[in-house]
Amino acid sequence: TGVQTCALPIFQILPFSAGGHDAGGTFMILRFAEPGVADVVYSEQLTGATYLDKPGTTDHYLDIMNRLGVAALSTAETVNFLQEIIREI
């Protein structure tokens, strides 16, 4: 059994060796195909969740997501990383 690749979703792993980051917690950026519908940030905490939709706020999260993507393993490296873990267990 190995890791299968697919068109969606795309994910990347940020290894511990990349050091700390300023994401501050778990969040997702929801983008919609509908024209004129703004991005929404979904932020999850221990006791609840928040939906953020103000452009200045969502832009901040988009910047963080872009920086995390640069620091993270590429999608191919992520697949290799996961396959190595699977072999080890």
Side-chain angles (χ1 to χ4, degrees):
T1 297
V3 176
Q4 301 294 317
T5 59
C6 62
L8 290 174
I10 295 172
F11 65 96
Q12 295 172 267
I13 291 177
L14 182 67
F16 290 119
S17 62
H21 56 80
D22 56 356
T26 303
F27 69 94
M28 288 182 259
I29 299 173
L30 308 173
R31 296 199 123 164
F32 303 95
E34 187 85 20
V37 176
D39 293 343
V40 175
V41 173
Y42 170 77
S43 178
E44 192 172 286
Q45 299 86 36
L46 183 60
T47 58
T50 305
Y51 292 90
L52 308 167
D53 60 358
K54 291 188 172 76
T57 303
T58 57
D59 290 346
H60 177 70
Y61 280 90
L62 285 167
D63 181 54
I64 291 171
M65 184 69 82
N66 287 334
R67 285 187 273 136
L68 287 171
V70 169
L73 300 175
S74 70
T75 52
E77 291 169 329
T78 294
V79 169
N80 292 337
F81 181 83
L82 292 173
Q83 287 174 331
E84 182 61 33
I85 290 173
I86 290 167
R87 281 193 287 277
E88 291 177 7
I89 56 175

